[in-house]
Amino acid sequence: MRRLPPVAGERIDRSQAVEFAFEGKPLRGYRGDTISSALAASGVRVLGRSFKYHRPRGLLSAAGHDANTLVQVHCGERSVPNVRADVVPVDSGWRVSAVNTRGGLQHDRLAVLDRLSAFLPVGFYYKAFHSKRWFPRWERMFRRLSGLGEVDLRAGRRGTPKRYDFCDVLVIGAGPSGLGAALAAAGRGASVLLVDENPTAGGSGWYARGGATATLEKTAALLAAVRADSRIRLLTSTYAAGYYADHWVALVAPEYLVKVRARSVVIAQGACEQPAVFRGNDLPGVMLASAAQRLLYHHAVASAQRVAVLTANAEGYAAALDALSNGLELAAVLDLRATAGPLSMPAAQELTRRGVAVHYGVTPIEALARAGGDVGGLLFESTAGAAAQPQRIGLDGIWMSVGFAPANALLQQAGARLSYAHAAEQFLPQTLPSGVYACGKVNGVYSFAERLADGGAAGEQAAGRLGFGAEAARGPWVAPLECPTHPFPVFRHPRGGEFVDFDEDLTVKDLENACQEGFDSSELLKRFSTLGMGPSQGKHSNMNALRILGRIRGESLESLGTTTARPMFHPVPLSHLAGRGFEPQRRTALDGEHEALGAVWMPAGNWRRPEYYAVPGQTREQAILAEVGAVRTRVGVIDVGTLGKIEVHGRHAAEFLERVYTARYANLKLGMSRYGLMLDESGVVVDDGVVGRLGVESFYFTTTTGNSATLFREFGRLATWWGLSVGLVNLTGHYCAFNLAGPDSRALLAEHTALDLADEAFPYLGIREGLVAGAPCRIMRVGFVGELGYEIHLPADYAVDVWRALRASGSRFQLQAFGVEAQRMLRLEKGHIIVGQDTDGVTNALEIDVSWALRMDKPFFIGQRSLAILHKQPRRQSLVGFTLAPEAPLRPRESHLVLSAGQIAGRVTSTGWSPTLARCIGLALVTPALAAGQKLRIRIEKGQEVDADIVRPPFYDPQGERQRSTSPGTSAAHAAGQRTSLVSARRRNPLETCSTGASSARGDPAGARLRFEVLSRRERFGCKGPGAEAWLMAAGFAVAPAPNSAQVDAGGVLVARLGIAEFLVESVEGGAERVESARRQLGSALRPADVYPVARADLVIGIGGAHLNLLLRQICSVDFAPGLESCAADFGPVTLTSMIGVGVVAFTRGGCDREPVLTLWVDPSFAHYFWTTLLEVGRDLGAVAVNE
Amino acid sequence: MKLMTCPINGPRLISEFAYGGEMREMPDPVAVSDAAWADYVFNRNGVPGVKKEWWCHTPSGVWFIAERDTTTDTIQRTYLYQPGARVRAERAA
């Protein structure tokens, strides 16, 4: 093998040498060489060892359609396994080695396995691996012997961000038919994305020349036309890995994955040339003719000195002419057919004229190896002409051109139905799904001119379907003049060694044996023999195997059918699939405060919450017990901002709550709250919370942390379904909340509010609205932890200041921040359940002793009817409280079993050491029989058992006197009328306390390709409800008429219509006073009853710059390009979508004289995640950030 | 990835949507027998065919009805829910 003098159309740059090493030996190639072409040019013929028998292997397809040429590439510190040497361009400094050898490629000690092949029959894994005793040994041994490259466990994390892309027509494959399709579709005005898996486009138009230059010139002209067409984007080295629903195609580019949404797809992926199956067909030097042609014309490499072309079609004769015209010696042309076909005949005559021996009716017997392990001769016999005497020719290369298998994997994935056409000896698409078109070889069309025309017709159809020109029709398929594929290029040898699957080392005998064992359908054969399950997924083996199976079964290929090749079409690096990895995390506004206090974090739903606050010198348990003690004796504060926080307004607000919750709310007095228990239709407990009445038609209520998003969504569905006139507002992220609890809580709070906190004015279960430390708050008197307590709910942007004010004066009260663990114990002492911990997915309301909350006399609530049925049935389980003796040395834990007569009779749901009661307490779900008794026996770790006494909760303060406390608190002196709060809380941008991020992308915003600007400080409010639009217009705002659009009025105020009847109003360029005044009115008694306020403490980010659309394509699946092009200065579309996993409101604004700017509104609880992730994505795009 | 068309927000990836179950009429809890109620609560129709289903576009919270052929997993049409005649009569009364 050698490099030829310059060849027309070669794709190497001879002025740029590339130095690299293979198996430790320094070599050189040129820029434009693939790893395998550079090796071939350097005379390396053995590129790897086979998977199972470790036979030497060389180039087969030169297109990455086989596993022979997978290599390990070491580059600097990185070591990358399983690099596809046929298609990856080689680079300077690379150290390349073969995969899976022991002692190097040349002297692979595992080559001995080839001689043991008789003992490794097909399916031997299944026969050998089943023994329990031997399996571990087998497994260890085969893990060492087989496999591919080695994963570098020290490899660092690589950023492989995925992208979204959009086009009218996606054309897969840039050969003659694909080029034709792209030009035709673009010619009609469609935007076209054209992709090709090879480093250069043109397909076989570039390399299958038949010794002439006509096809090269035509292909070059087509490529020039494609490059000149601004509607066509050409991506090379990019393969379509899979087709998914609704024209969604995964493209694998060298560094990342692209998810393309096309409106039509043209599949022009061509065909994979197939090997002939004869003894020795895997020797290095025996390759597909197309591989030799690729080497010749892409890389100017002669793959041999003296070759024979084994053929059965016109393509083989063309390859023979290519060999001659590039100065290779042609030993013979060996035609498997009795005579040349009509397309081959002229070439056959020319070859004969030029003195080349052309044999017909050839049966290849064996390719013979020479000393180096590569091919040195061919033994064959020929029926035509001379007597059938085996002949032997000396050569160093055999080119196989006996047929093709259409690359129809994506067509099948798209749902095309295929049928076998004998006229082309291949499967053809019979019916195609809507919007999917096939052309070229995959469609059974082979000549250059016909492929170009077929592609053009497919491109016209694909564009015509989308309204670009008239709908186009296509004529019926015309069979090729000469069949390009031999029906059975398989030649059995008595000594075997005819390889069908080069990846998995399967020979004809293996398939025969599999069939003999009964695995004789295409699906079973594949699974038993692992045929087509190697890295190339049957590209070179599936059709030959089917032909062999057909012969064995005596059936035609039509009736056998074929297996569906699933994604991915080629192997895809796992890093591509992993992409960037987005894990949206929510944080309350007080997150930074907790961090400063030493919070130890725990996940709660998608939030993080302080489990407890670490104290130097104290253990976790000590810290938690101290927190519990502080609440019981002084005052504590816990962030409960993760609770679902919802408002419901409207005529049917009370009725809605009556239907959703088990208790009564129609009779709830203004300014009072009531426990809410929610069931599903089967009576199972699903959630609980507190419902407070703010007005006749306005309620504020809470849900548990983990359920808030799904419940809010379900409330929307229920309101729609029931046809109730209500407006639901989700304040979960825009509001913060903390619970101030303990005997001193009243005194502490009194220092910061003018509200009358005396028990008569603000009784237990009351809800009040007023200023705390200058911030507008809702305060609920709650008793979850069993002490006098005030739960303070307020807009998230005020939360930090109010928290700090309370803590500042709280130092005199020794205010203790407490975490989730302390709260769990405090509520357990009160016997309050946690839904989802003390109940499970089947625990109904009758089993947890909450009859006081079930108003069975109401007309309807969800689960009511089922409870009526359950009431008549015996109980399955009951929730009971238990205590252990104070001196008990052993403690149970959650989920430990409760036993009765040695049988499982329940489980512990909550338990822990109560510092208040100085003993272990808990709750357990047990059988009713046990619940009626006195004792529980609990099985704990290591099979030990402990006895517990059943006690009716609450364990602490059974009368509930402490939470109803009327006493002003032990430190009354502090609260004696005078308020000491000097703080006036101000609103803070949600990133103000965010410690990371902003500094990492500072720079000069002017001229930056991407600019992020935090705009949260703008004055803003939201509103919804039937009267919202009229009220806004009456207040003088310009309201955009169309759903999901926004406009900025002359005073610089933006009014965005979110969906149909929700509005977001913001001072964009002035008008802050107007907006603030309207917001105040909305929060006051002047608010019309049919306008509902929507609190908005959003993170607002403005994004501009030339790379805006590139950024959007990494973070959002919606195509913003049309909106960015069409938006105006004072008017633009609003998009409600999801970016990097977070719901956003997006507004595009721009105009003819200014660059488009996208404004995003994001729930503030996602602010930290969203901002840091955005900066990370933006970093590679040159982003500069400005945080106000 | 599949597309679904929200009646308000237009075609979006299916990952922007949440499924809300098949649209079913609740029997009158007062009149219905225990057995019929249990059938409503626990049993679902698994026969393939065109189903009316609740779907929610999660970024906007819009609930709508999708008619989906579960044999071919094709979404035939989507539209906003109109409360049934029964509910409207109830409101009027």
Side-chain angles (χ1 to χ4, degrees), chain A residues 164 244-246 248 261 651-652 655 659 681-682 712-718 720-724 859-860 863-866 868-869 872 1043-1044 1059-1060 1062 1116-1118 1134-1138 1143-1144, chain B residues 1-4 8-9 11-13 15-16 18 20-26 28-30 32-35 37-38 40-42 44 54 56-63 80-81 83-84 87 90-91:
Chain A
Y164 295 95
Y244 302 88
D246 293 336
W248 173 258
R261 173 76 65 188
R651 208 151 46 89
H652 297 131
E655 185 183 342
R659 286 170 158 261
E681 280 187 325
S682 65
F712 183 78
R713 201 157 65 215
E714 179 64 3
F715 291 153
R717 191 185 74 89
L718 291 171
T720 309
W721 187 30
W722 292 334
L724 297 178
F860 174 81
Q864 183 189 36
R865 182 68 179 84
S866 293
I869 298 173
K872 293 184 275 186
N1044 286 330
I1060 297 174
E1062 183 174 342
C1116 186
S1117 65
V1118 173
V1134 166
T1135 310
L1136 277 62
T1137 184
S1138 173
V1144 298
Chain B
M1 194 183 284
K2 264 190 109 53
L3 288 175
M4 183 175 247
I8 305 297
N9 293 284
R12 295 292 172 83
L13 290 195
S15 59
E16 285 197 11
E22 193 177 347
M23 197 183 91
R24 306 182 306 148
E25 278 299 313
M26 185 180 78
D28 179 354
V30 180
V32 73
S33 71
D34 287 1
W37 179 260
Y40 163 73
V41 169
F42 293 110
R44 299 289 182 275
W54 285 102
C56 180
H57 179 241
T58 52
S60 64
V62 174
W63 278 100
L80 294 178
Y81 176 79
V87 180
E90 231 174 64
R91 298 283 147 259

